[in-house]
Amino acid sequence: MFYRLSGIKHTRYASSRALWPVTADRRIMQVLVALALLAPFFLSDLYLTSYMLPWLIWTAAALSLTLLMGMAGQLHFGFAAVLAIGAYTSIHLTRAGVPFEFALLGAGLMSAFIGVIFGAAALRVKGLYLVMATLAMQYLVEWVIINVPAISGGAQATLSTPDVTFLFVPLQSDASLYYMALLWTVVVTLLLLNIKRTSFGRALVAVRDKDFAAAVIGVDPVKYKLLAFFAASFLGGVTGAILAFCYYQAVTPEQFGFNVSIQLVAMVLVGGLGSVIGAYLGAGFVLLLPIVLTNVLAFVASYEWMPISFNLIAHIPLMVYGALIIGVLLYEPLGLAKIYDNLRKYFVVWPFRHTQS
Amino acid sequence: MKPFTRWLASVAGAAALGLGGAAQAEKEPIKFALLQDFTAVYTFVTNEYHQGQRDYLRFVNETGGVEGHMIETIVRDTANEPQRGLEAYNRARREGAVLVDFFSTPVSRAAVNRVLDDEVVMITALHGRGDASEGETFPFIFPMMATYWSQSTVLADYIDQHQGGLEGKRIALVHIDSPFGREPMPILKDLAEKKGFDLRAFAYPSPGTEQSATWSDVRRYRPDHVIIWGAGGGQQVSVREAIRNGIRQENILSVVWLAETDARNVGGNHLKGVKRFEAVGTGTDHAVIQDIMEHVIEPGHGQGSASNVGTTYYNIGVATMAVAVEAARLAMQEFGAPLTGEKLRDGFRMIENFDARGMMPPITITADDHQGGGYGRVSAWNGEAWEPLTDWYSAHQDIVWEEIEKDAAGFREGR
């Protein structure tokens, strides 16, 4: 009823291979894009700068990691270090007078270069052992940033981002920063949706499922593993630069610590491994849910129905959050994306229970 | 969203008017935002600090508020994460907060540009950027106690004055491998050149629960004095390792982060003789703490365990709010209500020789100097309590200010 599939027959390859072949899906996407574009006009600056902006940027980061972990099956527990390389490279490049557009490229390339060096470990080790290798990247990069004042920015170890323009638009107002982040997230999203349909994407999936089987059918695992690390690190590096310029506006090493890497992995896993919409949902869950829970609880506590210490109020959201993560993983191990998928399938045939296929 | 919140606000406003008509018309409250990390890294330190802040504010409210205005607190957990801190900050700013205290270096560093733009006062006692002492560049940021740089000069000066001079000595700085741990390095290096002592830095990896490799290096260096520079659990490990490696307690000096809880955790009398920098007096025999006991703790309005009252971090929390309330009072007297961030800033800059009735060193904050003079003292653990060894003093502020000016200039250029 909602999706109105009956009678729709794709008569051209182009229409059946479109990103959203079903009209209703396309309509939903159009509405979402329109809402995102109009957000600065109907959202207050609090929701724009504290919810939408970080959510979009972390989604881009989670999407970059999805390319590596979800599609190519290479675990990466040091992705915050990739973001850090991008952030620091872009700041140092813009400070040296390089235009922001090229600084973004430079950030991506530098991250990709260093990411590939550590990714080379993936040629020899898999699974938990690869986790250890990428952890090494996290700690090495952090150590280098902290211990080289030329990178971290002297005794305060804080670097402010200079004022920049992107394609002649100055990035100062809340709205311009938001649109910059939105642009990048949309680019990454479209890229990932399309990579899934290319020979490159299929080769990654083949390597993920069984790398020697992929070699047997003529997919070079060495090449594709390195390419996966290169592409994901490039996207991660640019995302790190966007994070620094559009959101933090001042970078310190603590912003890219090990806990951030774990958060990114959690976003990908809770959202649903390998799913694009999962990255959006996972980033929202991991990033925004603790904030929302904290505020809800503070609101409830403000009525003073019962005396609770500030310490307990601070810890209750953690318990609820933990329970929710376990709940999601127990109820739907495939992540939030699968829950969305189930809902969609339900409505595709509603009011009936089963579809013919 | 906007129309809805406006509707909500108007309904709330109408209700408030209705109630206000019935009740006595109250003066507009002053809002302080205490957006701190209760759950991630600072744990018991924040708890005691926050408890002191809240108890002091309660005491102020119980005794008539600031010029009749009550102080309201906005409290949120940030888990030491910048993005959560920024969200809480943006929300608090909309609710009308004029002062914000994150008590977390990563969060306050990420908030620097924003508070400068929004003209909200941010206090960064014992955390955040040391160069924010430069009031011209950072007009809305108030470190208001000795920065880490000033702490290092006070400790070095103590060795110079009371432990047989610095010349020809070997000083080891054993620090956590983070920007915070490396912070005193430039100052101590300058001092080493000036005073002619040998300085070597030894870093241990964060979070500092395992330091044995570092300390065997320290032992080989055979230092005369060891300055330990860490926070939280790492400090206890440092003290234990130092003693195990044959360094006598009286030659161990610590940054401000060493308190009663650490002494308890190290155990027995092991900590006896260890020295630390002290920014605010400890214990309950200060006039301010006695007042809090009388008006807040005894009637049962305390925010936490009464056994925390008078501990190091509790008193630091009391001191931060004492200075903030004093600034608010001065600002209200000078400029009248309602209090804004700008008025509060000027109130801070009017503070002169304020010592919270003897609990802390007399600080004077001016438009240029937001540090308040960099005073502190050295105290030692006597087995039961931290006993002050010196009077309040500051040392080598010329070197400290050189570094402050240099970093503040770097900030101005980068911005």
Side-chain angles (χ1 to χ4, degrees):
Chain A
M1 179 174 176
F2 298 108
Y3 283 81
R4 298 210 235 169
L5 291 184
S6 64
I8 296 181
K9 298 278 186 279
H10 294 289
T11 51
R12 295 163 185 278
Y13 284 124
S15 70
S16 87
R17 287 199 311 199
L19 273 179
W20 294 284
V22 180
T23 317
D25 282 333
R26 212 156 44 232
R27 293 271 180 275
I28 293 174
M29 284 314 300
Q30 284 161 354
V31 170
L32 286 179
V33 168
L35 281 179
L37 282 175
L38 295 175
F41 300 102
F42 66 88
L43 278 185
S44 67
D45 59 342
L46 170 68
Y47 289 96
L48 191 70
T49 58
S50 303
Y51 290 80
M52 283 301 280
L53 185 61
W55 181 43
L56 281 176
I57 300 174
W58 258 274
T59 300
L63 280 171
S64 318
L65 190 57
T66 292
L67 174 62
L68 191 58
M69 278 182 52
M71 291 188 201
Q74 307 300 311
L75 298 177
H76 201 314
F77 275 54
F79 211 67
V82 176
L83 299 182
I85 296 169
Y88 278 97
T89 310
S90 62
I91 288 187
H92 284 294
L93 283 178
T94 46
R95 286 192 160 202
V98 177
F100 183 55
E101 297 82 356
F102 292 103
L104 284 181
L105 266 182
L109 287 174
M110 181 64 105
S111 285
F113 179 67
I114 298 176
V116 164
I117 294 177
F118 284 90
L123 305 178
R124 301 298 299 246
V125 292
K126 282 182 220 166
L128 280 176
Y129 302 93
L130 183 58
V131 167
M132 295 308 292
T134 49
L135 265 183
M137 173 178 185
Q138 171 74 41
Y139 285 111
L140 269 172
V141 169
E142 244 186 285
W143 188 88
V144 168
I145 292 175
I146 290 173
N147 283 281
V148 182
I151 297 179
S152 68
Q156 293 301 329
T158 309
L159 280 176
S160 295
T161 55
D163 293 341
V164 290
T165 58
F166 184 76
L167 301 180
F168 309 109
V169 180
L171 292 181
Q172 261 83 55
S173 67
D174 289 345
S176 63
L177 295 174
Y178 169 78
Y179 282 125
M180 179 75 223
L182 180 66
L183 175 71
W184 174 245
T185 311
V186 168
V187 166
V188 178
T189 307
L190 289 178
L191 191 69
L192 251 77
L193 284 173
N194 283 301
I195 280 182
K196 282 187 160 185
R197 318 188 295 169
T198 58
S199 62
F200 173 57
R202 292 188 213 287
L204 291 186
V205 171
V207 170
R208 172 189 72 192
D209 289 347
K210 205 51 123 193
D211 53 0
F212 50 82
V216 168
I217 59 170
V219 173
D220 183 359
V222 172
K223 179 178 152 195
Y224 281 99
K225 278 183 183 175
L226 288 182
L227 270 178
F229 270 95
F230 184 89
S233 303
F234 182 89
L235 297 179
V238 179
T239 308
I242 300 276
L243 182 65
F245 277 86
C246 293
Y247 185 61
Y248 282 138
Q249 291 158 24
V251 288
T252 66
E254 291 113 330
Q255 290 162 351
F256 303 100
F258 174 56
N259 55 331
V260 179
S261 286
I262 294 298
Q263 277 186 334
L264 286 168
V265 172
M267 286 173 191
V268 172
L269 289 181
V270 172
L273 207 54
S275 154
V276 170
I277 188 166
Y280 279 85
L281 299 176
F285 188 96
V286 172
L287 197 70
L288 302 182
L289 198 63
I291 297 178
V292 173
L293 284 174
T294 305
N295 283 322
V296 166
L297 214 80
F299 178 74
V300 172
S302 69
Y303 282 101
E304 296 183 355
W305 284 322
M306 56 177 110
I308 329 176
S309 75
F310 62 87
N311 202 356
L312 185 61
I313 291 175
H315 281 85
I316 291 176
L318 280 185
M319 302 174 200
V320 177
Y321 179 61
L324 275 173
I325 288 188
I326 294 176
V328 166
L329 292 181
L330 277 180
Y331 174 71
E332 192 50 88
L334 295 175
L336 297 169
K338 185 64 186 163
I339 295 178
Y340 167 77
D341 197 40
N342 290 344
L343 273 175
R344 181 178 174 276
K345 279 190 176 139
Y346 175 79
F347 282 111
V348 162
V349 293
W350 191 88
F352 305 108
R353 282 185 69 89
H354 299 288
T355 165
Q356 55 192 5
S357 61
Chain B
M1 191 57 74
K2 236 177 182 171
F4 175 70
T5 37
R6 210 176 293 143
W7 172 81
L8 209 65
S10 62
V11 169
L17 271 180
L19 288 173
Q24 186 189 0
E26 275 191 5
K27 286 189 178 176
E28 200 183 329
I30 300 169
K31 289 182 178 168
F32 284 2
L34 309 175
L35 316 169
Q36 297 157 355
D37 160 30
F38 299 106
T39 52
V41 185
Y42 297 85
T43 56
F44 75 91
V45 179
T46 316
N47 284 347
E48 293 173 8
Y49 174 83
H50 182 81
Q51 194 184 333
Q53 292 188 317
R54 292 283 289 277
D55 283 355
Y56 183 77
L57 294 179
R58 179 84 193 211
F59 158 67
V60 170
N61 286 347
E62 293 286 326
T63 51
V66 182
E67 306 284 304
H69 296 259
M70 294 294 133
I71 298 176
E72 261 179 30
T73 51
I74 301 170
V75 180
R76 291 287 186 283
D77 173 37
T78 66
N80 207 29
E81 287 174 12
Q83 83 274 4
R84 287 185 64 178
L86 291 177
E87 187 273 342
Y89 162 72
N90 281 331
R91 186 176 287 276
R93 180 171 59 86
R94 284 160 60 90
E95 287 175 20
V98 288
L99 178 140
V100 56
D101 181 8
F102 293 109
F103 201 52
S104 147
T105 296
V107 179
S108 64
R109 282 189 181 176
V112 164
N113 288 336
R114 287 171 174 84
V115 298
L116 292 181
D117 290 342
D118 300 336
E119 310 200 328
V120 173
V121 169
M122 173 163 81
I123 57 171
T124 59
L126 307 176
H127 71 275
R129 298 179 71 106
D131 58 352
S133 311
E134 214 272 83
E136 294 284 303
T137 314
F138 299 93
F140 285 88
I141 302 175
F142 290 88
M144 76 186 194
M145 286 185 191
T147 59
Y148 289 122
W149 292 327
S150 296
Q151 294 181 27
S152 66
T153 56
V154 164
L155 289 176
D157 196 64
Y158 180 80
I159 300 173
D160 204 15
Q161 304 291 332
H162 302 274
Q163 291 192 305
L166 278 168
E167 206 181 332
K169 289 280 182 65
R170 268 200 254 252
I171 311 279
L173 172 72
V174 185
H175 64 87
I176 188 164
D177 201 0
S178 73
F180 151 68
R182 306 175 64 88
E183 205 164 331
M185 272 312 283
I187 298 287
L188 288 175
K189 263 187 194 152
D190 282 359
L191 266 181
E193 243 170 60
K194 201 170 147 192
K195 290 277 175 182
F197 63 90
D198 196 38
L199 173 75
R200 199 184 289 178
F202 300 87
Y204 57 80
S206 180
T209 37
E210 170 51 47
Q211 307 176 10
S212 47
T214 309
W215 283 94
S216 48
D217 278 352
V218 177
R219 188 183 59 214
R220 255 175 255 136
Y221 177 59
R222 287 188 293 125
D224 296 300
H225 300 279
V226 174
I227 299 178
I228 57 172
W229 209 273
Q235 287 288 80
Q236 300 152 19
V237 180
S238 288
V239 173
R240 234 181 271 137
E241 288 286 342
I243 295 167
R244 183 176 302 153
N245 283 284
I247 292 156
R248 286 166 55 206
Q249 277 91 334
E250 55 264 37
N251 291 332
I252 304 173
L253 296 99
S254 166
V255 65
V256 71
W257 303 120
L258 196 66
E260 293 79 7
T261 314
D262 301 294
R264 259 201 312 279
N265 290 349
V266 171
N269 280 331
H270 292 304
L271 206 69
K272 202 169 170 179
V274 172
K275 297 178 179 62
R276 67 159 188 193
F277 173 89
E278 194 168 275
V280 172
T282 318
T284 52
D285 19 313
H286 302 283
V288 186
I289 305 292
Q290 287 301 326
D291 278 349
I292 292 177
M293 301 274 268
E294 189 192 328
H295 293 276
V296 181
I297 308 294
E298 276 158 23
H301 299 318
Q303 275 294 326
S305 161
S307 62
N308 285 340
V309 177
T311 58
T312 305
Y313 303 140
Y314 183 94
N315 286 10
I316 291 175
V318 170
T320 58
M321 284 300 109
V323 176
V325 167
E326 178 69 11
R329 181 171 289 137
L330 290 170
M332 300 280 257
Q333 280 168 359
E334 182 79 20
F335 310 109
L339 191 64
T340 61
E342 214 177 344
K343 287 180 189 172
L344 184 60
R345 173 198 67 187
D346 293 337
F348 266 100
R349 286 172 170 181
M350 282 188 267
I351 285 175
E352 213 178 317
N353 278 326
F354 179 75
D355 65 351
R357 283 185 284 161
M359 192 174 71
M360 53 187 274
I363 59 164
T364 302
I365 297 177
T366 65
D368 299 321
D369 177 6
H370 283 192
Q371 184 193 210
Y375 290 95
R377 67 183 177 195
V378 175
S379 63
W381 182 253
N382 66 7
E384 275 156 18
W386 289 99
E387 198 179 288
L389 300 176
T390 64
D391 212 355
W392 301 111
Y393 69 101
S394 67
H396 305 292
Q397 283 295 307
D398 48 332
I399 300 182
V400 172
W401 273 92
E402 235 170 68
E403 190 63 32
I404 291 175
E405 302 278 357
K406 200 177 87 190
D407 280 28
F411 177 83
R412 280 195 302 272
E413 276 164 30
R415 206 167 171 227

